[in-house]
Amino acid sequence: MTTTEPVSKNMSSANHVKKYSSSIRFWHWANAIVISGSLITVLINSTITKGRPTATLIKNELQKAGAQVTADQARAASHALSDSVWDIHVYFGYVLAALLLFRLVMEYFQLADQKFIRSAKIVYIQYKTTKAKREQVRNQLVVKFIYATFYLLLVIMVITGLFLAFEDALVAYKSIRHSVKEVHSFCMYLILAFIVIHLAGLFLAERKEESAGIISDMINGGKN
Ligand code: HEM
């Protein structure tokens, strides 16, 4: 009797292309951890190790313990604390830069069905040419646009961050340092806005029956 079963167990899985490759899932969760880490360092430096209040706290506590500390010494100690938090921020930054590079290289080597640029183009063409399921296609287009904006923000964050990290080697550009820092910190608010929109979008999508399970798709790969 002939059998139609696949010769190898892997054959059936080879034919089934997952919605998200293992590389993109790794990138997604690593990126989420690194961005959260970066944001936590910024939060610490704008609260716990914030200049003047921390200097006052150090001075008062040391004086209570019987030490004589000047305001300048306390300020220097507070500065050193925040510098060590910035060092951690920069380590997160290097990992984020490496992850961005990994994402760019990955886009080139991904299977066609898993490429972001390709799927964004398909949704755009669908939006331009078909009248069917107009609202659904428009929503997909908005989602792609938001992701594209996020990728652009990551690029800006990495370029400005690396500029700040290597400012000693880039003394020739000292005049733009302040503006670069402004852009870097302003983009943080846009990244925060993206995180809020992303989480709200996931929450709303999970409530719809047809797209339920999108969070687990980013864990197990999902079906294309
Ligand atoms: C999502 C990612 C990131 C967020 C939210 C973020 C946010 C910030 C913020 C708010 C500041 C303070 C700017 C100011 O004082 O006006 C800062 C400073 C800085 N960031 Fe980032 N950043 C990120 C990624 C990066 C990356 C990729 C690098 C590259 C290595 C980097 C390197 C730096 C450096 C060197 C500073 C200056 C620290 C100092 O004042 O000593 N950051 N960042």
Side-chain angles (χ1 to χ4, degrees), residues 34-35 38-39 42 83 86 89-94 96-97 154 157-158 160-162 164-167 177 181-182 184-185 187-188 191:
V34 172
I35 290 178
S38 281
L39 289 170
V42 175
D83 275 353
W86 280 129
H89 179 86
V90 174
Y91 293 138
F92 276 124
Y94 291 147
L96 194 67
L154 277 186
M157 224 50 190
V158 166
T160 53
L162 288 174
L164 295 173
F166 291 99
E167 60 180 338
R177 184 193 185 271
K181 206 168 182 176
E182 298 253 292
H184 191 73
S185 38
C187 284
M188 179 189 71
I191 287 193

Side-chain angles (χ1 to χ4, degrees), residues 28-47:
H28 177 273
W29 295 113
N31 218 35
I33 293 168
V34 172
I35 290 178
S36 307
S38 281
L39 289 170
I40 290 170
T41 57
V42 175
L43 185 67
I44 293 175
N45 264 352
S46 48
T47 53

